[in-house]
Amino acid sequence: MLRFATVLALIASPALSQQASVAGTDGQNALGTVPCAANAGDPLQSCHAELRRRDDGSVTLAVQLPGGDVRSIYFTDGIPDSSSSPSPINHEIRGDIMVIFIEPGEVYELPKAALNTQ
């Protein structure tokens, strides 16, 4: 539980929003880390991430995967509905954590509270 509280604190911290950006992101929003795995069967790792909020209420989560690629996940009304991958995306809620799956094996964990408006 402490791991997720730390992730939430990092993503939601305005102080971090002015630090260096994840490659391929604009660096203007909250930075932190999220647990992620790039391939089926890989253990979750701490991946650099940037949470970008738009004026229309949509949110983009940009995550730097192990290996350096950046995956963008797009949210509408707090639900991940597409990504920068052409593969299908789905999610499930496990308590206070949203687990996002992008086929064939990408996994991301994000505290639901990180998607709340601030």
Side-chain angles (χ1 to χ4, degrees), residues 4 13 19 22 49 53 57 70 72 74 77 84 91-94 110-111 115-116:
F4 298 116
S13 173
Q19 293 183 2
V22 171
R53 298 178 186 284
V70 174
S72 294
Y74 308 104
D77 297 324
S84 58
H91 74 284
E92 62 184 47
I93 304 298
R94 297 179 185 167
L110 181 67
L115 295 169
N116 295 341

Side-chain angles (χ1 to χ4, degrees), residues 11-116:
I11 287 180
S13 173
L16 291 175
S17 66
Q18 300 305 313
Q19 293 183 2
S21 176
V22 171
T25 65
D26 65 12
Q28 298 303 305
N29 293 282
L31 292 175
T33 61
V34 296
C36 82
N39 300 298
D42 286 354
L44 292 176
Q45 299 182 39
S46 183
C47 298
H48 296 287
E50 181 178 30
L51 192 65
R52 292 184 251 158
R53 298 178 186 284
R54 306 239 187 291
D55 290 339
D56 66 2
S58 64
V59 174
T60 300
L61 176 66
V63 181
Q64 187 169 8
L65 297 167
D69 290 336
V70 174
R71 173 70 65 229
S72 294
I73 302 170
Y74 308 104
F75 296 80
T76 303
D77 297 324
I79 304 298
D81 53 13
S82 63
S83 78
S84 58
S85 169
S87 299
I89 185 171
N90 59 61
H91 74 284
E92 62 184 47
I93 304 298
R94 297 179 185 167
D96 294 334
I97 303 301
M98 177 181 292
V99 183
I100 302 162
F101 305 95
I102 300 175
E103 293 182 16
E106 294 177 29
V107 179
Y108 305 88
E109 292 185 355
L110 181 67
K112 289 187 323 185
L115 295 169
N116 295 341

